[in-house]
Amino acid sequence: MYKILIADDEGIVTDSLQFIIEKNFGSDCRTAVAKNGRQAIEVAESFQPDIAFLDIQMPGINGLKAMEEICGQNSRIKVLILTAYDNFDYAKEALRLGAVDYLMKPVNKKVIVERLTGIMRTIDQERQKRRDDLLAKEKMEAVIPIIENGFVISLIIQNEYEDSGEQYRSLLNVEEDYGMIMVLEWGESGEGRNLGNPVGSGVRAHRYYDRMSELVKVHFRAFVSDIMGNKIVCVIPSAEEKLEYGDRLSMIEKARNLMNSLKQAVNIDFQAGIGSVRSWEAMFDSYQEALNALRHGKRKVTHIDDLIVRDTREKQRQVMEQMVFRAVMGGMEHGARQEAEIFAGWVLKNGNRVFEEERMQLTELFLSARRMVQEQGSECPRGQEAMAGLLGAGDEEELRQRFVTAMVDLARAVVIRNQEPDGLMASAREYIKQNFQKDLALEEVARTVGISPYYFSKLFKEETGMNYTEYLTGIRIEKAKELLSNRELSIKEVCVDSGYGNPNYFSRIFKKWTGITPTEFRDGLYEGR
């Protein structure tokens, strides 16, 4: 559809143009008419034409002045100037103002049709480009969180690459030479400063991740990671090499406001640790500082420079060891991987670069964690294999990978052993109960409780006596039975509210589980009353 404005004080001209347009373009075009420049401006404002025929010599505001005003309102409009005067100055001024053509009266039908056809082709191309641009922007909006997460991970997990996220910075238009890490942690308030129930609160936080990320970006120009256990890591670029005292206070105040906004949005407690400004190559150090500020600070928001006494290297090591033990003994596979990566990176960075000593530190931690797991009663079937792997690692990168794998295996061993009703499976069942109406994959539920889909499937079957799909279907069918008791709801509405998108498929599943169709079930309910 093309909207065309015709502005001319001669009725015969407007009638002729309308007739030509209607005859040659039919319902593809809508026209509006103005008899002077003022009317042309007013009609253009409400009608929003794609194309305009403007006569130069109109009473009051002439066509060139009207064109200037109309183009100011709508930069995409295509203007054709009409005039009975062969004056080059008019043509030059019209083209300067953005007219696409300058036509002498009387203009024959063939010229009008040719010009309009060409202009319409241009409009179609512009519209397609806008659609393509919007589609590209929409796709980029979907990809940006993935790029951001990759950027954060590239900075906080030490590796041998030297680009320090350079490609990510290019994609994200990061021009600053420095940055800092802020780690957000959430949980339920208890005694002391430590936040409790990280798994349960983590399940809730997953539902609000988009809102949480949005709030971070309201308060800071930051790039946000995916959820890591009960934490989110934020990278904040900095143009300055050091954060001055006043700037640090301002940042802490913004972070405190962010904590309050997050609590209101998610209804769980948050706290933050902030590391110092570092070069991109040294962001792992800022990450370590943010974790230390988070663990040792006394307030909701702690900057590393506000700790009264900086942790000594030995104290840092002890704290990180405890974090590894806590993740392993809690059966938190993702957390064990993360903390093992941090500890291994710290050992390899802060040791005296003697490979055998680094190997011994990581091996000793593995043995201590393994002993704790065994004392709890969990089996470690791959313990000897993991030990041999650590002792046989040929370089630092291989040693790191084998150490991380060994700690994750220990966490999995704890999960297999630890199946109390108030544990991970209870959190999983609660998450399913709250989200059964959407397309809920096993992988999503496994991710919310922090274990692999394989181990989740195994534990879930042992805990409930049925596989995941059967359990989910059972919940949906019970919900459907409840909804069918309400005659005001159609079968299609019951289908959607029970988590199914296709009524035919819903009916087949319902009959398979109950032996009767949804309609028969509803009729049976009301016959018995």
Side-chain angles (χ1 to χ4, degrees):
M1 172 67 72
Y2 309 93
K3 294 191 286 186
I4 302 174
L5 169 64
I6 304 170
D8 198 300
D9 60 332
E10 297 181 66
I12 190 171
V13 173
T14 57
D15 291 344
S16 297
L17 285 173
Q18 281 186 300
F19 176 78
I20 292 170
I21 292 169
E22 182 176 346
K23 183 175 181 180
N24 288 273
F25 300 100
S27 60
D28 287 341
C29 295
R30 283 177 56 201
T31 59
V33 173
K35 296 187 178 301
N36 54 52
R38 178 183 59 78
Q39 283 186 11
I41 294 169
E42 292 173 347
V43 171
E45 187 173 353
S46 59
F47 186 58
Q48 290 294 303
D50 302 299
I51 303 168
F53 287 94
L54 299 179
D55 180 28
I56 287 181
Q57 297 298 326
M58 290 187 291
I61 300 174
N62 68 31
L64 293 180
K65 292 293 184 182
M67 175 185 170
E68 188 172 12
E69 183 72 24
I70 291 169
C71 289
Q73 297 173 4
N74 180 3
S75 61
R76 295 195 182 106
I77 191 171
K78 312 298 180 187
V79 177
L80 287 156
I81 290 293
L82 301 173
T83 183
Y85 300 94
D86 187 8
N87 188 321
F88 181 70
D89 288 338
Y90 283 146
K92 186 167 65 174
E93 178 64 10
L95 295 174
R96 184 190 72 79
L97 292 173
V100 296
D101 213 337
Y102 181 90
L103 305 178
M104 293 289 298
K105 294 181 181 179
V107 181
N108 65 45
K109 180 182 74 172
K110 182 179 179 182
V111 172
I112 294 294
V113 172
E114 286 178 352
R115 295 294 192 276
L116 281 177
T117 300
I119 291 171
M120 289 173 181
R121 188 179 301 114
T122 300
I123 291 172
D124 288 341
Q125 292 170 350
E126 291 177 353
R127 287 174 175 174
Q128 185 60 48
K129 184 179 184 302
R130 285 197 297 274
R131 286 193 291 268
D132 292 343
D133 289 345
L134 286 173
L135 181 61
K137 184 177 180 181
E138 185 179 55
K139 289 181 177 178
M140 181 57 70
E141 288 295 325
V143 170
I144 281 177
I146 299 173
I147 298 175
E148 286 192 22
N149 184 62
F151 177 44
V152 175
I153 296 300
S154 74
L155 297 177
I156 67 173
I157 295 182
Q158 283 189 313
N159 52 49
E160 300 302 320
Y161 301 113
E162 296 182 356
D163 65 359
S164 301
E166 184 175 349
Q167 292 182 337
Y168 287 113
R169 296 204 303 277
S170 176
L171 288 170
L172 296 169
N173 297 317
V174 179
E175 298 180 353
E176 293 85 349
D177 295 326
Y178 308 96
M180 69 195 87
I181 295 291
M182 176 172 67
V183 179
L184 306 181
E185 182 180 50
W186 57 85
E188 297 176 1
S189 295
E191 294 183 5
R193 185 175 178 274
N194 292 332
L195 298 177
N197 191 20
V199 174
S201 57
V203 170
R204 190 185 315 165
H206 269 279
R207 300 201 298 268
Y208 294 96
Y209 170 77
D210 290 340
R211 178 58 176 155
M212 290 160 60
S213 177
E214 177 185 326
L215 285 172
V216 170
K217 293 176 182 181
V218 167
H219 291 80
F220 294 95
R221 178 177 172 243
F223 303 100
V224 182
S225 76
D226 287 343
I227 291 177
M228 301 179 178
N230 67 326
K231 295 181 180 65
I232 286 178
V233 179
C234 310
V235 175
I236 303 173
S238 172
E240 304 299 327
E241 186 175 2
K242 183 179 180 182
L243 204 63
E244 298 298 333
Y245 179 75
D247 295 330
R248 188 168 86 238
L249 293 184
S250 175
M251 184 175 190
I252 291 172
E253 185 59 30
K254 285 199 296 183
R256 288 177 61 83
N257 291 334
L258 171 61
M259 299 303 101
N260 292 332
S261 298
L262 288 169
K263 182 171 182 178
Q264 290 177 6
V266 189
N267 196 29
I268 51 180
D269 291 294
F270 286 80
Q271 56 192 28
I274 306 172
S276 59
V277 176
R278 300 276 184 168
S279 66
W280 296 119
E281 293 75 16
M283 289 302 288
F284 181 80
D285 295 331
S286 184
Y287 177 51
Q288 287 294 314
E289 291 173 342
L291 290 175
N292 286 333
L294 191 63
R295 291 163 183 165
H296 304 305
K298 303 300 182 184
R299 298 179 176 85
K300 283 187 177 181
V301 178
T302 304
H303 192 283
I304 189 66
D305 290 337
D306 289 335
L307 290 181
I308 296 174
V309 180
R310 291 280 189 125
D311 290 319
T312 63
R313 206 169 268 189
E314 177 62 22
K315 187 174 180 181
Q316 284 183 333
R317 184 183 66 80
Q318 292 174 354
V319 169
M320 285 187 285
E321 283 183 352
Q322 292 303 312
M323 296 303 293
V324 174
F325 290 147
R326 183 182 301 174
V328 168
M329 299 308 293
M332 294 181 286
E333 180 182 335
H334 180 87
R337 183 182 301 279
Q338 178 185 352
E339 298 299 340
E341 285 276 9
I342 293 171
F343 182 77
W346 185 89
V347 168
L348 298 176
K349 175 181 175 62
N350 293 282
N352 55 14
R353 311 304 294 177
V354 177
F355 181 61
E356 287 306 319
E357 291 187 9
E358 295 168 344
R359 186 204 304 275
M360 289 309 299
Q361 285 192 59
L362 296 181
T363 302
E364 287 173 0
L365 183 65
F366 166 72
L367 290 173
S368 297
R370 181 186 175 191
R371 184 169 58 252
M372 294 170 66
V373 170
Q374 289 173 330
E375 289 174 352
Q376 180 184 275
S378 300
E379 295 294 330
C380 306
R382 297 175 56 186
Q384 291 301 325
E385 180 184 339
M387 181 72 175
L390 291 170
L391 296 176
D395 55 37
E396 288 188 349
E397 184 57 31
E398 185 180 2
L399 177 63
R400 179 209 308 275
Q401 291 176 0
R402 292 188 174 185
F403 174 74
V404 172
T405 300
M407 303 314 291
V408 171
D409 283 345
L410 290 178
R412 287 173 177 168
V414 171
V415 170
I416 292 174
R417 169 67 177 157
N418 187 20
Q419 300 179 46
E420 289 80 6
D422 59 345
L424 298 178
M425 292 303 101
S427 297
R429 291 196 302 274
E430 179 62 24
Y431 187 78
I432 295 169
K433 181 179 177 181
Q434 296 298 326
N435 295 275
F436 71 89
Q437 290 175 315
K438 68 178 187 177
D439 186 11
L440 190 62
L442 178 147
E443 289 76 11
E444 177 181 343
V445 183
R447 186 170 61 250
T448 64
V449 295
I451 58 177
S452 71
Y454 170 79
Y455 280 98
F456 173 79
S457 178
K458 176 182 175 66
L459 289 179
F460 195 86
K461 181 75 176 284
E462 293 176 358
E463 172 76 18
T464 63
M466 62 182 73
N467 64 38
Y468 170 76
T469 302
E470 291 172 335
Y471 184 86
L472 177 60
T473 301
I475 287 182
R476 288 173 169 173
I477 295 301
E478 289 306 312
K479 182 64 176 179
K481 290 178 180 178
E482 176 188 331
L483 295 172
L484 286 168
S485 64
N486 182 356
R487 278 196 177 275
E488 294 183 0
L489 294 175
S490 67
I491 298 297
K492 184 175 182 180
E493 288 174 320
V494 172
C495 164
V496 172
D497 291 345
S498 301
Y500 293 99
N502 186 312
N504 292 330
Y505 178 71
F506 165 65
S507 294
R508 288 200 303 272
I509 293 296
F510 190 92
K511 185 172 183 179
K512 181 178 178 180
W513 274 70
T514 65
I516 56 177
T517 67
T519 301
E520 290 170 340
F521 181 86
R522 170 175 278 174
D523 292 342
L525 286 177
Y526 281 87
E527 285 175 4
R529 293 185 180 180

